[in-house]
Amino acid sequence: MTVGSKPSISAAVEQAAKRAGLVVVSATETTGFGDAPTASFELALASDAGRKVGLELSENFDFDKPELLPEMVTFLVESAQRLRNPRPDAYVTVEGLPVSFSDFKWPFHKSTSGADTHLVHGTMHLLDGTDTPLHAKIAASMTLTFAEIVPAPEQPYAETFIYNAIRKTLDQGQLEMVKSGNRQPVPVTTRYYSRWQKKFLFTESNPQLRSAYIARKLYWLSGVNGGGAPVWIADPRDAQYLNTTPEELAEGALVLEAAGMAKGWDQGMWSATEQLMEQKAVYEAALHAALDFTKPTFNEDMRGGHTNM
């Protein structure tokens, strides 16, 4: 598929990309789950063609609702800012695990098992600064009730809350990072959404938790995985994950800067300092504790045959 072969999609994506400071590098015909036809776009920063992001939509997706194009623009504006990170695909969890997301097959597809759910498949990798093979294959499921909240079951309207639901599930010890294995379920239900407040809710936070989170993000994404390059702190995706605002995240970075653990740059970017990187033992201990929490445990008495069954 060329840019001109699907005007309704291509024109909308080009318009949204331009408003976000991006350019469309390519548009191709691809396939999603079950070989469903999709349109895949490669977008790059207008100011740096080497920094690219992918966008995949249903081939027949139509921007017929008035809110769809503005939300697409917002998604691409945030993606453009995230492209300035050394690893745009990288995130951290509250419990201290640095991870990356990849290979998501958009859009959602209906469950093939007969369940009334919509699924999207992808992969999460551990980013501990080594060549670790630890990862988790993901099958995120969205209930029909939850699907009514989402403007469209497509990447620009779902990627943020899916990534946050995965992080939350990992924090709860309900996903395991393994060397190989089957897909692990991530249920996305209305428990993650307040109809009264009309917003997603994942993790309640306070200034102390936010500062600790930002420090972990700087340590892993700027220091360990970014070679000291700055990362975007006031990311709305993180704000949703922590039930806070981008402004409060920026305030947390200022607190760390005053403590000598962060250095501010322009465009809301911050980097780890030597003082922060000296706390390697603290962050690696948190990582191993978080990994241990995700591992299955067994009843030792039952394993030893000391219980009646």
Side-chain angles (χ1 to χ4, degrees):
M1 186 186 79
T2 64
V3 172
S5 67
K6 194 70 176 179
S8 60
I9 296 180
S10 297
V13 170
E14 286 190 47
Q15 178 184 347
K18 183 177 181 180
R19 293 171 63 182
L22 297 166
V23 294
V24 177
V25 177
S26 66
T28 57
E29 184 178 273
T30 51
T31 56
F33 182 86
D35 294 330
T38 58
S40 291
F41 298 86
E42 187 177 54
L43 310 174
L45 284 177
S47 59
D48 186 349
R51 293 180 176 268
K52 301 176 182 179
V53 64
L55 174 66
E56 186 175 20
L57 298 166
S58 299
E59 187 182 43
N60 60 354
F61 182 63
D62 189 6
F63 292 87
D64 57 345
K65 296 180 182 178
E67 71 272 18
L68 291 181
L69 189 57
E71 289 197 29
M72 167 78 83
V73 172
T74 298
F75 172 80
L76 292 181
V77 166
E78 294 174 5
S79 297
Q81 181 66 12
R82 215 170 281 123
L83 278 178
R84 303 180 189 280
N85 292 341
R87 286 290 304 263
D89 60 338
Y91 301 85
V92 293
T93 70
V94 165
E95 297 300 322
L97 291 175
V99 297
S100 66
F101 295 111
S102 63
D103 304 321
F104 276 75
K105 301 291 288 184
W106 300 100
F108 283 90
H109 62 272
K110 290 185 179 180
S111 171
T112 57
S113 67
D116 291 332
T117 56
H118 297 280
L119 300 170
V120 64
H121 291 170
T123 305
M124 173 177 61
H125 289 272
L126 182 67
L127 293 179
D128 64 353
T130 71
D131 292 327
T132 177
L134 293 179
H135 69 284
K137 294 180 180 178
I138 302 297
S141 61
M142 180 173 62
T143 64
L144 293 180
T145 303
F146 193 94
E148 296 174 356
I149 300 168
V150 183
E154 304 277 344
Q155 181 184 359
Y157 313 101
E159 185 178 270
T160 288
F161 73 75
I162 287 296
Y163 284 8
N164 287 340
I166 295 170
R167 285 196 279 180
K168 179 66 175 181
T169 305
L170 188 59
D171 286 331
Q172 294 171 328
Q174 296 173 3
L175 285 173
E176 184 182 9
M177 306 294 276
V178 295
K179 294 181 180 179
S180 63
N182 298 324
R183 293 200 180 276
Q184 301 179 53
V186 174
V188 184
T189 68
T190 50
R191 66 177 176 170
Y192 290 136
Y193 187 81
S194 170
R195 289 185 180 272
W196 177 63
Q197 300 181 65
K198 297 187 182 303
K199 70 175 185 177
F200 293 92
L201 299 171
F202 292 98
T203 302
E204 291 295 337
S205 67
N206 54 43
Q208 292 73 32
L209 186 148
R210 289 192 289 271
S211 290
Y213 173 86
I214 294 168
R216 285 174 172 171
K217 179 173 180 174
L218 290 174
Y219 177 82
W220 288 111
L221 305 192
S222 170
V224 174
N225 289 289
V231 296
W232 187 29
I233 290 300
D235 188 338
R237 186 164 289 178
D238 286 341
Q240 184 191 90
Y241 174 52
L242 298 173
N243 192 25
T244 186
T245 64
E247 292 75 20
E248 287 183 328
L249 291 175
E251 291 172 5
L254 288 172
V255 171
L256 292 176
E257 183 178 44
M261 294 190 291
K263 179 181 179 181
W265 299 78
D266 61 355
Q267 299 184 346
M269 308 290 284
W270 299 77
S271 60
T273 64
E274 291 185 10
Q275 182 175 331
L276 178 63
M277 299 309 296
E278 288 172 357
Q279 299 186 31
K280 175 181 178 180
V282 173
Y283 294 107
E284 290 199 345
L287 179 144
H288 291 300
L291 281 178
D292 288 342
F293 182 58
T294 68
K295 294 178 181 178
T297 57
F298 300 91
N299 185 309
E300 294 301 324
D301 286 335
M302 185 176 293
R303 195 208 306 259
H306 303 312
T307 59
N308 293 322
M309 295 185 65

